[in-house]
Amino acid sequence: LMSVGSASWSFTEDDFGAITQSLQRFLYDSNARCALLVDRTGQLVATVGEQPNFDPTAFATLCLLYTSD
């Protein structure tokens, strides 16, 4: 996995399955329709649930801009 501050990283298919399963559990627990996981560089990592009515990649980028100092 990545070190703190790393700009790029990767994970295995098993990792992606675990991430997806966690997001699906979050959807169930929160009664949400969609969950998006965005990394600290503004990259969309995963999305589960209904397709959002907005561009998820643009949303991920906006998350980065919002959280930047």
Side-chain angles (χ1 to χ4, degrees):
L1 291 176
M2 76 174 189
S3 61
V4 174
S6 178
S8 65
W9 47 271
S10 62
F11 47 81
T12 66
E13 190 173 328
D14 288 341
D15 293 332
F16 184 73
I19 290 167
T20 301
Q21 185 177 30
S22 293
L23 289 175
Q24 288 171 336
R25 190 169 42 250
F26 169 76
L27 285 181
Y28 177 80
D29 291 345
S30 65
N31 291 319
R33 295 182 189 171
C34 180
L36 293 88
L37 179 64
V38 178
D39 75 6
R40 64 176 59 193
T41 66
Q43 296 294 311
L44 183 62
V45 175
T47 182
V48 297
E50 294 179 14
Q51 188 70 13
N53 294 329
F54 53 85
D55 180 352
T57 303
F59 177 79
T61 302
L62 290 172
C63 288
L64 171 67
L65 295 175
Y66 180 74
T67 59
S68 296
D69 292 331

